[in-house]
Amino acid sequence: MLADHVAAKGRLVVISGAGSGLGRALARRLAADGDTIILLGRTLAKLEAVAAELGPRSHPVVCDVANAQSVRAAFAEIAERSPRIDVLINNAAIYQPTLVKDAKDLQIEAAVTTNFAGPIYCSRAAIPMMGRGGHILNISSETVGLPHAMFSLYQSSKAGLERFSEALRAELEPDGIRVTMVRAGQMTDEESTAPSADPEVLRRFAEENLKRGLDFRQRPISTFGSVADLIRALTHLPDDLNVPQIVLEARRP
């Protein structure tokens, strides 16, 4: 039973977008501490692969954070196994380069619902299962403060997430629940994929950003593992400290 693992090992951590990228790196790092990890994601096969790697303290739960009912069902499944969530990491996000004039309905809806509404849905579901000492971490992006081209949907949805984090922190402070916004820089790992599978979109994305002085081939880039190490530290703050927001920048080693 999941509850038995939690009792034996300590914290229960829920991570959205846990099937790949930063979410997977976070699951690996926190599982190494002995935390019980709930892996949320849309693709069961990816979640099962991560769970198989991490062992019995990790549990895949299919969840599309863009869908309110899917989030309700996922957190109901969690609640059946354990009454308490200690840490929620709202990491799931999508980014599809496009000019607004070319944006398809589904691209607009996906950006808003996944990157902005998704963390709201997950936070709403998790808060009743959190007590004093609980912690919600919302993963934002450095693109909010940079002049990226063709990223208006991603940037604006992440900017909304940052403002939501500020409001949620004030709301939950009396309950003893921390909220931290992490604005992360460019990062990668051996399995990273491009933001679009369309070569023409990628070519134009690179060209338009070069016009604005952003050459992705020259910009520093960090690893998911390094960022996961820092976020792990944020989940272990002393009781008398809080980190409302933190900005991470990649640097050349």
Side-chain angles (χ1 to χ4, degrees), residues 1 3 8 10 13 20 22 26 28 67 76-77 112 117 125 152 156 160 179 207-208 226 240:
M1 291 291 292
V13 179
S20 61
L22 178 59
L26 285 165
R28 287 169 172 165
N67 183 290
E77 181 176 339
V112 173
S152 59
S156 56
V179 178
E207 288 181 354
E208 293 298 324
S226 295
D240 59 344

Short mmCIF file of all heavy atoms in Angstrom, two decimals, residues 1 3 8 10 13 20 22 26 28 67 76-77 112 117 125 152 156 160 179 207-208 226 240:
data_model
loop_
_atom_site.label_atom_id
_atom_site.label_comp_id
_atom_site.label_asym_id
_atom_site.label_seq_id
_atom_site.Cartn_x
_atom_site.Cartn_y
_atom_site.Cartn_z
N MET A 1 0.83 -1.20 0.00
CA MET A 1 0.00 0.00 0.00
C MET A 1 0.87 1.26 0.00
O MET A 1 1.90 1.31 0.65
CB MET A 1 -0.89 0.01 1.24
CG MET A 1 -1.98 -1.05 1.23
SD MET A 1 -3.24 -0.69 0.00
CE MET A 1 -3.96 0.79 0.72
N ALA A 3 0.22 4.08 1.37
CA ALA A 3 0.28 4.67 2.71
C ALA A 3 1.38 4.04 3.55
O ALA A 3 2.03 4.71 4.35
CB ALA A 3 -1.08 4.52 3.40
N ALA A 8 6.66 4.70 6.13
CA ALA A 8 8.00 4.18 6.35
C ALA A 8 9.08 5.13 5.85
O ALA A 8 10.15 5.22 6.43
CB ALA A 8 8.14 2.83 5.63
N GLY A 10 8.61 8.64 4.79
CA GLY A 10 8.54 10.08 4.98
C GLY A 10 7.58 10.76 4.03
O GLY A 10 6.41 10.44 3.97
N VAL A 13 5.48 13.21 -2.41
CA VAL A 13 5.73 14.29 -3.36
C VAL A 13 4.99 13.98 -4.66
O VAL A 13 5.11 12.89 -5.22
CB VAL A 13 7.24 14.42 -3.65
CG1 VAL A 13 7.49 15.54 -4.67
CG2 VAL A 13 8.02 14.67 -2.37
N SER A 20 9.27 12.80 -18.33
CA SER A 20 10.47 13.16 -19.07
C SER A 20 11.01 14.48 -18.55
O SER A 20 10.39 15.14 -17.70
CB SER A 20 10.17 13.28 -20.58
OG SER A 20 9.19 14.29 -20.82
N LEU A 22 12.63 17.73 -16.93
CA LEU A 22 12.85 18.15 -15.55
C LEU A 22 12.01 17.33 -14.57
O LEU A 22 12.48 16.99 -13.48
CB LEU A 22 12.52 19.63 -15.40
CG LEU A 22 12.67 20.20 -13.99
CD1 LEU A 22 14.09 20.04 -13.46
CD2 LEU A 22 12.24 21.67 -13.95
N LEU A 26 13.53 15.43 -11.41
CA LEU A 26 13.06 15.70 -10.05
C LEU A 26 12.65 14.40 -9.35
O LEU A 26 12.95 14.19 -8.17
CB LEU A 26 11.88 16.66 -10.08
CG LEU A 26 12.21 18.12 -10.36
CD1 LEU A 26 10.96 18.89 -10.74
CD2 LEU A 26 12.88 18.75 -9.15
N ARG A 28 13.74 11.42 -9.95
CA ARG A 28 14.95 10.67 -9.62
C ARG A 28 15.63 11.23 -8.38
O ARG A 28 16.04 10.48 -7.48
CB ARG A 28 15.92 10.73 -10.81
CG ARG A 28 15.51 9.90 -12.02
CD ARG A 28 16.37 10.24 -13.23
NE ARG A 28 16.13 9.34 -14.36
CZ ARG A 28 16.53 9.56 -15.61
NH1 ARG A 28 17.18 10.68 -15.89
NH2 ARG A 28 16.28 8.69 -16.56
N ASN A 67 -6.98 19.30 -18.06
CA ASN A 67 -8.38 18.86 -17.95
C ASN A 67 -8.76 18.77 -16.47
O ASN A 67 -8.20 17.96 -15.72
CB ASN A 67 -8.55 17.51 -18.64
CG ASN A 67 -9.98 17.02 -18.62
OD1 ASN A 67 -10.50 16.65 -17.57
ND2 ASN A 67 -10.60 16.98 -19.78
N ALA A 76 -8.07 12.11 -6.60
CA ALA A 76 -8.92 11.18 -5.87
C ALA A 76 -8.22 9.83 -5.72
O ALA A 76 -8.31 9.19 -4.67
CB ALA A 76 -10.26 11.01 -6.59
N GLU A 77 -7.51 9.42 -6.77
CA GLU A 77 -6.75 8.17 -6.70
C GLU A 77 -5.64 8.27 -5.66
O GLU A 77 -5.38 7.33 -4.90
CB GLU A 77 -6.17 7.85 -8.07
CG GLU A 77 -5.39 6.55 -8.12
CD GLU A 77 -4.89 6.19 -9.51
OE1 GLU A 77 -5.44 6.71 -10.50
OE2 GLU A 77 -3.93 5.41 -9.59
N VAL A 112 -2.68 27.82 -22.67
CA VAL A 112 -3.39 28.40 -21.53
C VAL A 112 -3.78 27.34 -20.51
O VAL A 112 -3.59 27.52 -19.30
CB VAL A 112 -4.62 29.18 -22.00
CG1 VAL A 112 -5.47 29.65 -20.81
CG2 VAL A 112 -4.21 30.37 -22.85
N ALA A 117 -3.75 27.09 -16.37
CA ALA A 117 -4.85 26.47 -15.63
C ALA A 117 -4.41 25.17 -14.96
O ALA A 117 -4.88 24.86 -13.85
CB ALA A 117 -6.03 26.22 -16.56
N ALA A 125 -6.65 20.89 -6.06
CA ALA A 125 -6.88 19.51 -5.62
C ALA A 125 -5.96 19.12 -4.46
O ALA A 125 -6.35 18.34 -3.59
CB ALA A 125 -6.68 18.56 -6.79
N SER A 152 5.02 33.94 -27.59
CA SER A 152 4.08 34.76 -26.83
C SER A 152 3.10 33.93 -26.02
O SER A 152 2.74 34.29 -24.90
CB SER A 152 3.32 35.72 -27.76
OG SER A 152 2.61 34.99 -28.75
N SER A 156 3.35 34.29 -21.98
CA SER A 156 2.21 34.89 -21.29
C SER A 156 1.57 33.91 -20.32
O SER A 156 1.13 34.30 -19.22
CB SER A 156 1.18 35.42 -22.28
OG SER A 156 0.74 34.40 -23.17
N GLY A 160 1.43 34.44 -16.27
CA GLY A 160 0.23 34.26 -15.46
C GLY A 160 0.48 33.33 -14.29
O GLY A 160 -0.02 33.57 -13.18
N VAL A 179 4.59 28.50 -0.81
CA VAL A 179 4.47 28.52 -2.27
C VAL A 179 5.73 29.18 -2.82
O VAL A 179 6.08 30.29 -2.41
CB VAL A 179 3.23 29.28 -2.76
CG1 VAL A 179 3.19 29.32 -4.29
CG2 VAL A 179 1.95 28.64 -2.21
N GLU A 207 15.65 32.01 -36.73
CA GLU A 207 15.90 33.26 -37.46
C GLU A 207 15.28 34.46 -36.75
O GLU A 207 15.92 35.51 -36.60
CB GLU A 207 15.34 33.16 -38.88
CG GLU A 207 16.13 32.24 -39.80
CD GLU A 207 15.55 32.19 -41.20
OE1 GLU A 207 14.45 32.80 -41.41
OE2 GLU A 207 16.17 31.57 -42.08
N GLU A 208 14.04 34.32 -36.32
CA GLU A 208 13.35 35.43 -35.67
C GLU A 208 14.01 35.81 -34.35
O GLU A 208 14.07 36.97 -33.97
CB GLU A 208 11.87 35.08 -35.45
CG GLU A 208 11.05 34.95 -36.72
CD GLU A 208 11.00 36.26 -37.51
OE1 GLU A 208 10.95 37.34 -36.88
OE2 GLU A 208 11.01 36.19 -38.75
N SER A 226 20.94 19.31 -12.63
CA SER A 226 21.41 20.41 -11.79
C SER A 226 20.24 21.21 -11.24
O SER A 226 20.23 21.60 -10.06
CB SER A 226 22.34 21.33 -12.60
OG SER A 226 23.51 20.65 -12.97
N ASP A 240 11.95 28.15 9.66
CA ASP A 240 11.91 29.60 9.81
C ASP A 240 12.33 30.35 8.55
O ASP A 240 12.60 31.54 8.59
CB ASP A 240 12.79 30.05 10.98
CG ASP A 240 14.24 29.63 10.81
OD1 ASP A 240 14.52 28.77 9.97
OD2 ASP A 240 15.10 30.18 11.53
#
